[in-house]
Amino acid sequence: MKRVGVLALQGAVREHAQSIEACGAEAVLVKWPSDLEDLDALILPGGESTTMRRLVDRYGLLGPLRAFAKSGKPMFGTCAGLILLAKEIVGYPEPHLGVMDIKVERNSFGRQADSFETPLSVKGMEAPFEAVFIRAPHIVSAGSGVEILGEHDGKIVMARSRQFLVCSFHPELTDDHRITAYFLSMISSQTDISLPKRSVYSKV
Ligand code: GLN
């Protein structure tokens, strides 16, 4: 069974764990560096990125989280989790983990109500996803290796780059587990990338 961690310092932790289990994987709550051992993938939930960063430092998790990213295992950042993964945050001198090639702006939908729900069309998904936005960030710009998976109001709200998946909204707050299932599917595709395909040899 796939073991998927949820950073459990603050924010929407339980809902992510439920969504992981609804998809048939084991959810592991991560609070200490040793909790990262033997995970196949990790979710950084929504909440408040500055508070979460303070707790990451307090629990000695910054280095271990960066090492986890370096190991190539899939990581999924939702809302504040997206901010934690970004290489650049508008108005801030330093990123947090700084591992995904995106520039993000916090609290981007301020002129609308703080929270809203909207059907979002996600690349590769037939039916729209009911996306819940809560004081959400958006992706201002992205490097060439980043695939845009969703936009709302002309703003990028979902993207993937190699093992990193991010969205501005909260997929775990609905009963629709398609995005969690998509993330879990990245676990096996990562393995595929590291194993040369047989066709490579057959050409030689
Ligand atoms: N506004 C929050 C932040 O900047 C993110 C909100 C959320 O995760 N729902 O960290």
Side-chain angles (χ1 to χ4, degrees), residues 155-197:
K155 292 176 171 164
I156 304 169
V157 294
M158 186 169 175
R160 177 181 177 176
S161 162
R162 298 179 294 123
Q163 92 256 35
F164 302 116
L165 178 68
V166 286
C167 63
S168 301
F169 50 93
H170 286 260
E172 77 287 0
L173 296 185
T174 65
D175 289 333
D176 186 342
H177 301 295
R178 285 178 295 163
I179 292 181
T180 305
Y182 173 80
F183 176 58
L184 297 191
S185 78
M186 287 167 57
I187 294 174
S188 29
S189 56
Q190 275 303 116
T191 318
D192 286 345
I193 289 166
S194 58
L195 295 172
K197 298 222 168 61

Coordinates of all heavy atoms in Angstrom, one line a residue, residues 155-197:
K155 N -5.9 33.7 -14.0 CA -4.8 33.5 -13.1 C -4.5 32.0 -12.9 O -5.5 31.2 -12.8 CB -5.1 34.0 -11.7 CG -5.2 35.5 -11.6 CD -5.6 36.0 -10.3 CE -5.5 37.5 -10.2 NZ -6.2 38.1 -9.1
I156 N -3.3 31.6 -12.9 CA -2.9 30.2 -12.8 C -3.2 29.7 -11.4 O -2.7 30.3 -10.4 CB -1.4 29.9 -13.2 CG1 -1.1 30.5 -14.6 CG2 -1.1 28.4 -13.1 CD1 0.4 30.5 -14.9
V157 N -4.0 28.6 -11.3 CA -4.3 28.1 -9.9 C -4.0 26.6 -9.7 O -4.2 26.1 -8.7 CB -5.8 28.4 -9.6 CG1 -6.1 29.9 -9.5 CG2 -6.7 27.7 -10.6
M158 N -3.5 26.0 -10.8 CA -3.0 24.6 -10.6 C -1.9 24.3 -11.6 O -2.0 24.8 -12.8 CB -4.2 23.7 -10.8 CG -3.9 22.2 -10.6 SD -5.4 21.2 -10.5 CE -4.6 19.6 -10.3
A159 N -0.9 23.6 -11.2 CA 0.2 23.4 -12.1 C 1.0 22.1 -11.6 O 0.9 21.7 -10.4 CB 1.2 24.6 -12.1
R160 N 1.8 21.6 -12.5 CA 2.7 20.5 -12.2 C 4.1 20.7 -12.8 O 4.2 21.2 -13.9 CB 2.1 19.2 -12.7 CG 3.0 18.0 -12.4 CD 2.5 16.7 -13.0 NE 3.5 15.7 -12.7 CZ 3.3 14.4 -13.0 NH1 2.2 14.0 -13.5 NH2 4.3 13.5 -12.7
S161 N 5.1 20.3 -12.1 CA 6.4 20.3 -12.6 C 7.1 19.1 -12.0 O 7.3 19.0 -10.8 CB 7.1 21.6 -12.2 OG 8.5 21.5 -12.4
R162 N 7.6 18.2 -12.9 CA 8.2 17.0 -12.4 C 7.4 16.4 -11.3 O 6.2 16.1 -11.5 CB 9.6 17.2 -12.0 CG 10.5 17.7 -13.2 CD 11.9 18.0 -12.7 NE 12.0 19.1 -11.8 CZ 12.6 19.0 -10.6 NH1 13.0 17.9 -10.1 NH2 12.6 20.1 -9.8
Q163 N 8.0 16.2 -10.1 CA 7.3 15.5 -9.0 C 6.4 16.5 -8.2 O 5.8 16.0 -7.2 CB 8.3 14.8 -8.1 CG 8.8 15.6 -6.9 CD 10.2 16.1 -7.0 OE1 10.6 16.5 -8.1 NE2 10.9 16.1 -5.9
F164 N 6.4 17.7 -8.6 CA 5.6 18.7 -7.8 C 4.3 19.0 -8.4 O 4.2 19.4 -9.6 CB 6.4 20.0 -7.6 CG 7.8 19.8 -7.0 CD1 8.9 20.1 -7.7 CD2 7.9 19.3 -5.7 CE1 10.2 19.9 -7.2 CE2 9.1 19.2 -5.1 CZ 10.3 19.5 -5.9
L165 N 3.2 18.9 -7.6 CA 1.9 19.3 -8.0 C 1.4 20.4 -7.0 O 1.6 20.3 -5.8 CB 0.9 18.1 -7.9 CG -0.5 18.3 -8.2 CD1 -0.7 18.5 -9.7 CD2 -1.4 17.0 -7.9
V166 N 0.8 21.4 -7.5 CA 0.3 22.5 -6.6 C -1.1 23.0 -7.1 O -1.4 23.0 -8.3 CB 1.2 23.7 -6.6 CG1 2.5 23.4 -5.8 CG2 1.6 24.3 -8.0
C167 N -1.9 23.4 -6.1 CA -3.1 24.1 -6.5 C -3.4 25.2 -5.4 O -3.0 25.0 -4.3 CB -4.3 23.2 -6.7 SG -4.8 22.2 -5.4
S168 N -4.1 26.2 -5.9 CA -4.4 27.4 -5.0 C -5.6 27.1 -4.1 O -5.8 27.8 -3.2 CB -4.8 28.6 -5.9 OG -3.8 29.0 -6.7
F169 N -6.4 26.1 -4.5 CA -7.6 25.8 -3.8 C -7.5 24.6 -2.9 O -6.4 24.1 -2.7 CB -8.8 25.7 -4.8 CG -8.5 24.7 -5.9 CD1 -8.8 23.4 -5.8 CD2 -7.7 25.1 -7.1 CE1 -8.5 22.5 -6.9 CE2 -7.4 24.2 -8.1 CZ -7.8 22.9 -8.0
H170 N -8.6 24.2 -2.3 CA -8.6 23.1 -1.4 C -9.4 21.9 -1.9 O -10.5 21.7 -1.6 CB -9.3 23.6 -0.1 CG -8.5 24.5 0.7 ND1 -7.8 24.1 1.9 CD2 -8.3 25.8 0.6 CE1 -7.2 25.1 2.4 NE2 -7.4 26.2 1.7
P171 N -8.7 21.0 -2.6 CA -9.4 19.8 -3.2 C -9.9 18.9 -2.1 O -10.9 18.1 -2.3 CB -8.3 19.1 -4.1 CG -7.1 19.6 -3.5 CD -7.3 21.0 -3.0
E172 N -9.3 18.9 -0.9 CA -9.7 18.0 0.2 C -11.0 18.4 0.8 O -11.5 17.6 1.6 CB -8.5 17.9 1.2 CG -8.4 19.1 2.2 CD -7.9 20.4 1.5 OE1 -7.6 20.4 0.3 OE2 -7.8 21.4 2.3
L173 N -11.5 19.6 0.5 CA -12.7 20.0 1.2 C -14.0 19.6 0.5 O -15.1 20.0 0.9 CB -12.7 21.5 1.4 CG -11.6 22.1 2.3 CD1 -11.8 23.6 2.6 CD2 -11.6 21.3 3.7
T174 N -13.8 18.8 -0.6 CA -15.0 18.2 -1.2 C -14.9 16.7 -1.2 O -13.9 16.2 -0.8 CB -15.1 18.7 -2.7 OG1 -14.0 18.1 -3.4 CG2 -15.0 20.2 -2.9
D175 N -16.0 16.1 -1.6 CA -16.0 14.6 -1.6 C -15.4 14.1 -3.0 O -15.5 12.9 -3.2 CB -17.4 14.0 -1.4 CG -17.8 14.3 0.0 OD1 -17.0 14.3 0.9 OD2 -19.1 14.4 0.2
D176 N -15.0 15.0 -3.8 CA -14.4 14.6 -5.1 C -12.9 14.3 -4.9 O -12.1 15.3 -4.7 CB -14.7 15.8 -6.1 CG -14.3 15.5 -7.5 OD1 -13.5 14.5 -7.7 OD2 -14.7 16.2 -8.4
H177 N -12.5 13.1 -5.1 CA -11.1 12.7 -4.8 C -10.3 12.6 -6.0 O -9.2 12.1 -6.0 CB -11.1 11.4 -4.0 CG -11.8 11.5 -2.7 ND1 -11.5 12.3 -1.7 CD2 -13.0 10.9 -2.3 CE1 -12.3 12.2 -0.7 NE2 -13.3 11.3 -1.0
R178 N -10.7 13.2 -7.2 CA -10.0 13.0 -8.4 C -8.6 13.6 -8.3 O -7.6 13.1 -8.9 CB -10.8 13.6 -9.6 CG -11.9 12.8 -10.0 CD -12.7 13.4 -11.1 NE -13.3 14.7 -10.7 CZ -13.7 15.6 -11.5 NH1 -13.6 15.5 -12.8 NH2 -14.3 16.7 -11.1
I179 N -8.5 14.8 -7.7 CA -7.1 15.4 -7.7 C -6.2 14.6 -6.8 O -5.0 14.4 -7.1 CB -7.2 16.9 -7.3 CG1 -8.0 17.6 -8.4 CG2 -5.9 17.5 -7.0 CD1 -8.1 19.1 -8.2
T180 N -6.7 14.1 -5.6 CA -5.8 13.3 -4.8 C -5.4 12.0 -5.5 O -4.3 11.6 -5.5 CB -6.6 12.9 -3.5 OG1 -7.1 14.1 -2.8 CG2 -5.7 12.1 -2.5
A181 N -6.4 11.4 -6.2 CA -6.1 10.2 -7.0 C -5.0 10.5 -8.1 O -4.1 9.7 -8.3 CB -7.4 9.7 -7.7
Y182 N -5.1 11.7 -8.7 CA -4.1 12.1 -9.7 C -2.8 12.2 -9.1 O -1.8 11.7 -9.6 CB -4.5 13.4 -10.3 CG -3.5 14.0 -11.3 CD1 -3.3 13.5 -12.6 CD2 -2.6 15.0 -10.8 CE1 -2.3 14.1 -13.4 CE2 -1.6 15.5 -11.6 CZ -1.5 15.0 -12.9 OH -0.5 15.5 -13.7
F183 N -2.7 12.8 -7.9 CA -1.4 12.9 -7.2 C -0.9 11.5 -6.8 O 0.3 11.3 -7.0 CB -1.6 13.8 -5.9 CG -0.4 13.8 -5.0 CD1 0.8 14.4 -5.6 CD2 -0.4 13.4 -3.7 CE1 2.0 14.4 -4.8 CE2 0.8 13.4 -3.0 CZ 2.0 14.0 -3.5
L184 N -1.7 10.7 -6.4 CA -1.3 9.3 -6.0 C -0.7 8.6 -7.3 O 0.2 7.8 -7.2 CB -2.4 8.5 -5.4 CG -2.9 9.0 -4.0 CD1 -3.8 7.9 -3.4 CD2 -1.8 9.3 -3.1
S185 N -1.3 8.9 -8.4 CA -0.8 8.3 -9.7 C 0.6 8.7 -10.0 O 1.3 8.1 -10.7 CB -1.8 8.5 -10.8 OG -1.5 9.8 -11.3
M186 N 1.0 9.9 -9.5 CA 2.4 10.4 -9.7 C 3.4 9.5 -9.0 O 4.6 9.5 -9.4 CB 2.5 11.8 -9.3 CG 1.8 12.8 -10.2 SD 1.6 14.5 -9.5 CE 3.3 14.9 -9.1
I187 N 3.0 8.8 -8.0 CA 3.9 7.9 -7.3 C 4.5 6.9 -8.2 O 5.7 6.7 -8.4 CB 3.3 7.3 -6.1 CG1 2.9 8.3 -5.0 CG2 4.2 6.2 -5.4 CD1 2.1 7.8 -3.9
S188 N 3.6 6.2 -8.9 CA 4.1 5.1 -9.8 C 4.8 5.7 -11.0 O 5.8 5.2 -11.5 CB 3.0 4.2 -10.2 OG 1.8 4.8 -10.2
S189 N 4.3 6.9 -11.5 CA 4.9 7.4 -12.7 C 6.4 7.9 -12.4 O 7.2 7.9 -13.2 CB 4.1 8.6 -13.4 OG 3.9 9.6 -12.5
Q190 N 6.6 8.3 -11.1 CA 8.0 8.7 -10.7 C 8.9 7.5 -10.9 O 10.0 7.5 -11.4 CB 8.0 9.1 -9.3 CG 7.7 10.5 -9.1 CD 8.6 11.4 -9.8 OE1 8.2 12.2 -10.7 NE2 9.9 11.4 -9.5
T191 N 8.4 6.3 -10.4 CA 9.2 5.1 -10.5 C 9.5 4.8 -12.0 O 10.6 4.4 -12.3 CB 8.4 3.9 -9.9 OG1 7.8 4.4 -8.7 CG2 9.3 2.7 -9.5
D192 N 8.4 5.0 -12.8 CA 8.6 4.7 -14.2 C 9.8 5.5 -14.8 O 10.6 5.1 -15.6 CB 7.4 5.1 -15.0 CG 6.3 4.1 -14.8 OD1 6.6 3.0 -14.3 OD2 5.1 4.3 -15.1
I193 N 9.9 6.8 -14.3 CA 10.9 7.7 -14.9 C 12.3 7.2 -14.6 O 13.2 7.2 -15.4 CB 10.7 9.1 -14.3 CG1 9.4 9.8 -15.0 CG2 11.9 10.0 -14.6 CD1 9.0 11.0 -14.3
S194 N 12.4 6.6 -13.3 CA 13.8 6.2 -12.9 C 14.2 4.9 -13.5 O 15.3 4.5 -13.5 CB 13.9 6.2 -11.4 OG 12.9 5.3 -10.9
L195 N 13.2 4.1 -14.0 CA 13.5 2.8 -14.6 C 13.5 3.0 -16.1 O 12.5 3.3 -16.7 CB 12.4 1.8 -14.3 CG 12.3 1.4 -12.8 CD1 11.1 0.5 -12.6 CD2 13.6 0.7 -12.3
P196 N 14.6 2.7 -16.8 CA 14.7 2.8 -18.2 C 13.6 1.8 -18.9 O 13.5 0.7 -18.4 CB 16.1 2.3 -18.6 CG 16.8 2.2 -17.4 CD 15.9 2.2 -16.2
K197 N 12.9 2.3 -19.9 CA 11.9 1.5 -20.5 C 12.6 0.4 -21.4 O 13.7 0.7 -21.9 CB 11.0 2.3 -21.4 CG 10.3 3.3 -20.6 CD 8.8 3.4 -21.0 CE 8.0 4.2 -20.0 NZ 8.4 5.6 -19.8

